Amino acid sequence: KLGINKRTSRRQTFPSSQVRAVQEFGAICQERQPDVVKGVLPYWPRIYCRISMDHDRRVREATQQAFEQLVLKVKRNLAPYLKSLMGHWLISQCDTYSPAASAASAAFQAAFPLNKQPEAISFCKDEVLNVLQDNLLKETADTLSDPQSVPEEEREAKYIRLLTCSLLALRRLLNILPEQERELLKERLTQLITQGKFWKYSKHKTPQIRGAFFELIAIMCADAPQLIQAEAARACSAVLLSIDDTDPVVLPPLWEAVLHILSCVDNCWTHVSARKGVMPKLWVLLKEGGRGLATSLHPNLLPFISKLPAEVTQPNLEFSRTFLTSVIQGLSSDRATSSPSESAAIIFATMECLRFIILQNAGDEQEQRNIQNMLISEQLLPLIDRALGNPSLQTGPLFPQVSDMLLSWEKRVAGKETPTFQRLLSDFWEGLGHLCTTYVDREEAKQTALEGIASLLQNMHNPNSASKQTKKKKTVKICFMDKEDRGQGEEPPRETQVVEEQHCPLRNRHLLDLVCQLAELNMVYVSERESERHLRFLSQLLGAFPSPQVFQVLLRPEEIKPEMGPELRPLAENTAVYFLLQRVTVWLKQDDRKDTDFLVDMVFSIFSNLQTCDINNQLFVFLKQRDLNWSVTLQLIEKACADPVRLGVCVGWLRGPVLGERLVGLAGELCVMGLRGSPSSSSHHAHGWPLISLTLSQQHNNEPLIGKAYVKQIIDKLHATLSEAKGMSDAGNMEPLLTFISDVAATFFSSVKDCLLLASAEELLMTVFQLCAQDQIFTHLSGTVLQTIKKFKHLSIVTGEYPCMDLSTNRLPAHLCVSALLGRIIFTATSPDDQQVKADFSEIPDLKRIGETHSFIYFFPLSERSVSTVLVLCPFLASEERESLIALCVAELLNWQDSKQDCIDSVRGCLAVLLCCLQADTAVEDEILLAVVATIAEWRNSREEWFLFNSDLGKVSTAGLLLAVEMMRFLCWMVDHSPTVLGNTHWDLLLCSMLAWLETASENSSMFLNPLVQLFVCANCELIVRLSEFFTSPPAGVQEQLPPELNSEWKEFFLEGIHNLLLSLSITTQNNQKKSISTNHSNLVIMAVGEALTYIPVELLTQNKLPPRFVADQRSSLPEPLQTLLNTLSPLLLFKARPLQLAVYHILHKVMPLLPESDSESASAKSDDEDGEEPCLSPPAALMSILSATEELLENILGGVQVGEFAVVQPLSMEHCFILGYLLAWKLLFTFFKASSSHLRAQYALHLKKTRSLHKLLLHLFRLMPENPSVPGQPAEPSSKEPKIFFTESLYLAPRKTDGLQFELPHLACSVYYGALKDLPAMVRLWWNSQEKRVFSMVDKFTSKYVSGVLSAQEIASVQSSTQTFENMMVKARSATREVIATYSVDDIFIELVIQLPQNYPLGSISVESGRRVGVAVQQWRNWMLQLSTYLTHQNGSILEGLSLWKNNVDKRFEGVEDCMICFSVIHGSNYSLPKKACRTCKKKFHSACLYKWFTSSNKSTCPLCRETFF
């Protein structure tokens, strides 16, 4: 029991040792029985009181966590020791390190329920106060810590923390004690606060102490006011004279104390001078905007001035002027102008204080009138003036606050202060009118000011639309003293404002008068000078005030009653309509006007005024008499659809005859112009088709936006136009027309529910179908139109499986288009919701007969066209129907000789349909499959030309190539699903045919641009891939049923032949593509060949038969085949085809681990006695040439992106190709490094350091890695599992991968960075330390957050799972603390070393701490620790490799090998050599590298030890 506590009380030489000890103690408390743990209690108080105040915050946190476990175990048995623990326990709950404080509070709550805590603290109150008094009055930095062993900085930090915690603990003690218990402590507390040292804490240089002190004073004022009143002079001076303290930690508690002092001490201003000591400091603080702390300071201003007595505020006029002027001046401070929250806090405080001062001076005396005038003319109106020129103030809370203040004043007009507030309102509106007129009455009026005036007037008119931030402000809630007007300091409820607005004629009259005045003045500039700014301002005014009085002033007297037609007589008295017809429509029709958006808003403002008339009639008149542009009509409908209120107003006009007939006419005009091929006007082109599309696709209450009859007429016109275009020979000239119609139809069919219920819509759909089915040779349509028609949800064209296109025109045959469309129709019509539902042809009467089994016989013998149809229908058939179809196909295949004509089309079709049914998981007997294979074998004997062996594929027919492809696909399926059916002869046929087909493909490499030849090569490579997978890992139980010699034949004969051909084929393919135009089709062959090559064995790579290829001046120790392989394949890493790049990567990845062996042999052959610098070796020259070639390219691509920003690279672009090759080359290099020995790795690293290659890589990586490397596609909701990131998920580099390519480079960049940190940690650390501050911190933050945890866990796991054993040394790891413990013992010597991984591993230095040691001198012990730390810091390898190196060093030391007297190590830290260079004078030996560095740095050739000339 005592041993546990001895471990926690060990000397604090290494803090992490103490952390481990405390953590182990907590674990023991959790695991052991209560009776065992209780034995610790007598020793625990002394230990706890010491380590709970430890300088290391980790120790403090671990101590509280262990204490909680102790409390949970011993429970009531803790009571006898409570008094000796409680003082430091309470201090720990106020720890400045939040996790430690939370842990202490958790332990306290575990010991005492919430209702028992006051009782527990009352029980120990005297002992707690003793501890706190000693800390506050007696302790110093030197008495807390030993000056001999603890640095001054650490002593001072511990003392400051103790003072802060003690002040906060005293505050907590007073707050939690009941009142009667506080009375018992009154005398002792009086002794404390009478001490001068206590009051000096208010001026302490540390902000934390000052903040804690003011918190204590505030709680004393609230809970023990008599104590403060007794020391009023000191308290008032300490608090009020510190009013200008603006430290963020101090200001909130300081102002809390200020308000408490003003309330607690009645005569507080007798102890300090308000005019000399307090107010000047406050004015300076307010003028500076609170120095960035307005959100904390300004909410306290109103309570502060409300508590000021008359003697402080006299004379009231000057005080109020100075106070508000200082507050408003704070808006000009830098922080207030850049921070909306700071500015808002100042505005709130200004308006609250201004309203309070007005209420305090709401009388008719001359002084009060002077104050009122000053507040309006010198404060409020200038503040509004400032806001009109500042957009940020316009969007803030000022305008809502002004509106709220006016609402409050108008409510008071009905009370006893009627004259005062009437005068205030009159003065305000008069001043505001003059201010607004000044801004509007300018030809070059500022747009910002006009928008500000409009915003202010809108807020006054409708306070409900005020910014919601007035409700969300975090300020002190104010309630003025007048009981009749409760709640004026807060925003009135929304419902109340609506009622009040209806009963505020005074405000409405003033406001409307001002609006009319501004509108009339504004109209002068619009009419006479055509000011665009004033016109926009007028639109904003009418949007908020669409009243008849405003429209009255906008019209000239002679325009009030113009001549009206009979249809307008009902509107004879409506000035809004006159304004609309006489003014707005004129502005809308101006040809040079580009922006009509705000004018359309003005139109809706006018319509909102017409609530007593027939709205539809007004719109009818408006559109009938004024021929507006289609762009205006489009804007009208768009704005109506965006607002339900506007849509409700306009729905009658939208569904009426005027708009409907005009739209039908517009559609007709567009179609006629398109058929003629003549260009239409810009308005028609830009707005006509979008308008037609919008009116067809939008709905209102599940009804069309326009009348149903007009929808039908428009679709009929589109249908008729398409029908006419379908039969015209020059349809190619109508591509714009067909594209527009396709876009409109696609939008209509995808937006409108049950659109196919319209007969006209069904006819339109059928016409589109027919147009697609018609051969492009006759329609002359380009792929652009077909791509447009692909947008159809109901007719989605899917490209056929077979690239049977006309090579001369590159067009898809019409029968494939029809088949694909037919399949899509069936798929959509029969299972719209569940794609797994089988087709029910009864729902499609016209196709019902196709689904009947006996009808399939009409497709036989199968032709090219009928095969396509059957292949489309096959996946939707029932299993019984597919079985019948298989029977028909097999019968046709078995009777192939009975055909009187060339049956190659029928045979190919039968194989294709049979395979399609098999791929749909149709049950079939093995005998049937065997019969089909036997038939293929029969073809091998009687129709060998069908197999195309040694054929010129350019002369083979389409049917012949497709038959060979179908045979390959069928054999692939057999290998995957029924390999045991095949006998020995069948396997011979399969393997020999596969190899012969590959030879044929190699002989026809010049024909690879032919899509059918590409299909032939791809099918052959797919067969090779399936066979490679099968023989690499055959399914369970299959191996025994195969022919006995099959596996050996595959490995000894076929494997070598296949991959030799594939290697040469890959070189030939990329050479052909370089000579021709790069196409996606040629990439298909590269992708297929590349995937097949990934299965090549390493043995074939090391003995490849590629043509020799060497580079001049290339130094290499590799065997010729390997060097040829590298020189041939490495350049292909930059080839402009991603599949080939990845295939080359997978091939080279297999040989990388073999390459260091050659360098190891050559390095060992070199002399170790060279006097030169540290030896360096280049990694494979072929890869280094790739890096040097791409580094400049990447600098050009990424040079404009700042390090730390994410550069988005377009997938499959040229940039993507270069970056991919560059990163793949680095992944290969890391594989090479990992396979190298330690001394070789050091030489390779030195080469990279000299070339700065890794430096450039890391800079590029931090442009390619995303800021948040999360794997896409994860659920948004947080789960219990850790989110997947690119560093935890393996990278899938497959040549065939086509989805998610936009995430490939970011994932690959993260993988390369992870590899750099894992395999070259020392070099990455060196680079990191050399970076500028911004990059340094960004790299540290990113690595710590995303990589270090993963890498540390893997490093610890590798130590735990390692099978490597060391003589005389044992290694174990602790994952929880990220520690590795090495124990070295030989004879009587025992050494324990603790290796601690940092939080930002491997960037931060790995710390090596001392464990136990026996039989080792202190100096030697320190040298060994320093050596291990050096090895771990500077070697590029794992922790186990560093430990192995250190152990060898210690072993050599025990064997008698002396240290090098330069580096004081036996084994050199970087090249791992022994000291061999001996001085002839003193006989001491040194490392060659150390001597070279000594000579070059000292410019001398003397021995470092004896100073004699070194020979």
Side-chain angles (χ1 to χ4, degrees), residues 749-750 755-756 765 792-798 820-841 843-844 847 872 876:
F749 285 123
S750 60
C755 56
L756 290 177
L765 194 61
F792 279 68
K793 179 180 178 182
H794 301 275
L795 286 179
S796 172
I797 295 183
V798 289
L821 287 169
L822 182 63
R824 191 62 181 177
I825 291 172
I826 297 172
F827 185 74
T828 304
T830 57
S831 55
D833 298 320
D834 186 1
Q835 297 184 2
Q836 303 300 322
V837 177
K838 297 298 180 183
D840 182 4
F841 293 117
E843 296 186 14
I844 312 175
L847 297 175
V872 167
F876 304 99

Side-chain angles (χ1 to χ4, degrees), residues 75-103:
K75 297 181 180 178
R76 293 179 179 272
N77 295 291
L78 186 67
Y81 311 96
L82 200 55
K83 289 188 176 182
S84 54
L85 285 168
M86 187 60 76
H88 286 82
W89 202 354
L90 200 61
I91 292 173
S92 297
Q93 294 176 55
C94 303
D95 199 312
T96 54
Y97 180 54
S98 298
S102 300

Side-chain angles (χ1 to χ4, degrees), residues 939-951:
W939 296 343
R940 176 70 178 84
N941 297 325
S942 58
R943 293 292 179 94
E944 186 176 357
E945 67 275 10
W946 285 4
F947 283 78
L948 307 181
F949 297 154
N950 301 319
S951 300

Side-chain angles (χ1 to χ4, degrees), residues 214-260:
F214 290 124
E215 283 191 53
L216 175 59
I217 295 300
I219 204 68
M220 280 185 169
C221 290
D223 294 337
Q226 62 277 13
L227 293 175
I228 296 297
Q229 290 166 358
E231 292 290 328
R234 286 180 172 180
C236 294
S237 300
V239 175
L240 295 177
L241 295 180
S242 301
I243 202 168
D244 59 340
D245 194 332
T246 54
D247 190 281
V249 177
V250 181
L251 189 137
L254 168 63
W255 275 87
E256 183 183 3
V258 167
L259 297 180
H260 276 94

Side-chain angles (χ1 to χ4, degrees), residues 650-680:
C650 301
V651 69
W653 166 68
L654 290 170
R655 293 177 181 168
V658 176
L659 179 63
E661 291 172 2
R662 292 197 68 195
L663 289 174
V664 172
L666 173 63
E669 291 177 20
L670 292 171
C671 291
V672 169
M673 291 179 181
L675 285 174
R676 291 176 183 171
S678 59
S680 56

Side-chain angles (χ1 to χ4, degrees), residues 22-23 26 58 60-70 99 103-104 107:
V22 176
Q23 289 173 342
R58 296 176 301 162
R60 301 201 303 274
E61 181 183 5
T63 299
Q64 306 305 330
Q65 292 170 346
F67 192 12
E68 182 180 4
Q69 299 302 323
L70 178 66

Side-chain angles (χ1 to χ4, degrees), residues 766-915:
M766 179 56 69
T767 305
V768 175
F769 179 89
Q770 293 171 351
L771 188 63
C772 294
Q774 191 170 354
D775 202 314
Q776 297 176 45
I777 296 175
F778 303 106
T779 61
H780 303 286
L781 293 178
S782 71
T784 307
V785 177
L786 292 178
Q787 289 294 330
T788 303
I789 302 176
K790 281 183 182 181
K791 298 177 183 177
F792 279 68
K793 179 180 178 182
H794 301 275
L795 286 179
S796 172
I797 295 183
V798 289
T799 305
E801 184 180 6
Y802 306 95
C804 313
M805 59 184 67
D806 187 343
L807 299 180
S808 60
T809 60
N810 200 31
R811 292 182 177 130
L812 199 64
H815 71 274
L816 283 184
C817 289
V818 176
S819 299
L821 287 169
L822 182 63
R824 191 62 181 177
I825 291 172
I826 297 172
F827 185 74
T828 304
T830 57
S831 55
D833 298 320
D834 186 1
Q835 297 184 2
Q836 303 300 322
V837 177
K838 297 298 180 183
D840 182 4
F841 293 117
S842 61
E843 296 186 14
I844 312 175
D846 293 338
L847 297 175
K848 180 178 179 182
R849 59 185 181 85
I850 301 178
E852 298 174 359
T853 304
H854 67 274
S855 297
F856 283 112
I857 199 169
Y858 295 112
F859 288 98
F860 288 84
L862 293 169
S863 64
E864 182 182 359
R865 296 171 181 263
S866 57
V867 165
S868 300
T869 304
V870 175
L871 289 177
V872 167
L873 296 176
C874 184
F876 304 99
L877 299 176
S879 58
E880 298 81 5
E881 295 165 344
R882 288 200 300 270
E883 290 174 5
S884 301
L885 194 56
I886 288 177
L888 289 172
C889 292
V890 172
E892 187 80 10
L893 286 172
L894 296 181
N895 299 317
W896 65 275
Q897 293 178 333
D898 296 343
S899 178
K900 297 180 181 180
Q901 57 184 2
D902 189 5
C903 60
I904 190 167
D905 279 334
S906 178
V907 167
R908 193 274 302 180
C910 289
L911 263 182
V913 174
L914 172 63
L915 182 60

Side-chain angles (χ1 to χ4, degrees), residues 271-299:
H271 303 291
V272 294
S273 172
R275 297 186 183 278
K276 295 181 179 180
V278 179
M279 293 307 171
K281 295 181 179 180
L282 181 60
W283 303 152
V284 173
L285 181 61
L286 294 178
K287 288 176 182 178
E288 296 175 0
R291 296 171 189 163
L293 295 172
T295 52
S296 300
L297 167 65
H298 283 68

